[in-house]
């Protein structure tokens, strides 16, 4: 009779827990390096990364072992994955949090993965890089300084919006386009589309010029 644990392994496709390849079976060092890198990132990100990598990069010779669950390379990958996950769990439980900087060596090597301190530092480095990436993404989604009109000074914008409102409500019927010296100035002939165009023209006047380049007075 099979134990419940043994039945679980059979259902998942394993007759036994993966073990290290036999010493008589040699995995090329270049392939072993790739296996360890994949194991590290899957341990950090989850099994979905393995499935995605297998699907999207199945034609790459250096990753072909992902599609062959009974291969020596895949067995080695599973042992590395289990070992790294155990180390990450220990790091989390022990609250090990090395301080990572942008210039730290981020390369995943056997020497680093063999030690708890090495795995902790690699995890800290990639956590730091993930946070930087999220921060940059958040800044790109913010409106401050992102839309051209955000460069218009608040007082200038308030004046423009008030004049635009007066024009749309016909509170300033005497203003005409021919009488305006400033082409950005709202007048009675404007609609919401021409007012938007003038607002962008006004913003163009106030756009940043950090290098102090000479500007042509377009408007």
């Amino acid at each position: 009779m099979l134990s419940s644990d043994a039945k679980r392994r059979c259902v998942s496709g394993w007759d036994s827990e993966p073990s290290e390849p036999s010493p008589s079976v040699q995995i090329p060092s270049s392939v072993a390096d790739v296996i360890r890198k994949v194991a590290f990132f899957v341990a950090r990100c989850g099994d979905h990364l393995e499935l995605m990598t297998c699907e999207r990069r199945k034609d790459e010779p250096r990753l072909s072992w992902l599609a062959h669950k009974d291969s020596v390379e895949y067995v080695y990958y599973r042992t590395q994955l289990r070992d790294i996950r155990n180390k990450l769990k220990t790091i989390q439980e022990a609250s090990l949090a090395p301080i990572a900087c942008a210039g730290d060596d981020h390369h995943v090597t056997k020497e680093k993965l063999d030690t708890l301190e090495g795995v902790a530092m690699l995890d800290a480095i990639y956590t730091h890089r993930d946070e930087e990436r999220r921060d940059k993404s958040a800044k790109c989604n913010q409106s401050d300084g992102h839309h051209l009109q955000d460069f218009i000074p608040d007082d200038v914008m308030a004046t423009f919006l008030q004049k635009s409102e007066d024009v749309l409500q016909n509170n300033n019927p005497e203003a005409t386009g021919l009488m305006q010296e400033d082409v950005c100035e709202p007048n009675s002939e404007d609609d919401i589309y021409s007012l938007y165009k003038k607002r962008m023209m006004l913003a163009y006047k106030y756009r940043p010029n950090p290098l102090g380049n000479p500007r042509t007075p377009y408007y």
Side-chain angles (χ1 to χ4, degrees), residues 44-45 97-102 121-140 142:
R44 289 190 76 248
C45 303
I99 299 176
C101 302
M121 179 54 71
L122 281 173
D123 184 55
I125 290 171
Y126 280 95
T127 297
H128 177 71
R129 293 176 66 160
D130 291 342
E131 291 173 350
E132 284 189 330
R133 191 178 297 110
R134 284 194 294 268
D135 289 344
K136 289 180 180 179
S137 177
K139 288 179 180 178
C140 289
Q142 291 176 353

Side-chain angles (χ1 to χ4, degrees), residues 32-41 43-44 76-77 79-88 91 106-123 126:
D33 288 340
V34 173
I35 291 173
R36 285 187 288 267
K37 289 178 182 178
V38 174
F40 172 72
F41 290 112
R44 289 190 76 248
Y76 179 61
Y77 158 74
T79 61
Q80 290 295 301
L81 178 61
R82 186 173 65 252
D83 179 65
I84 296 171
R85 278 178 170 164
N86 288 337
K87 285 187 172 74
L88 289 173
I91 291 167
H106 65 277
H107 295 92
V108 179
T109 64
K110 182 180 185 301
E111 292 71 24
K112 295 176 184 177
L113 295 179
D114 282 344
T115 66
L116 195 65
E117 293 78 9
V119 173
M121 179 54 71
L122 281 173
D123 184 55
Y126 280 95

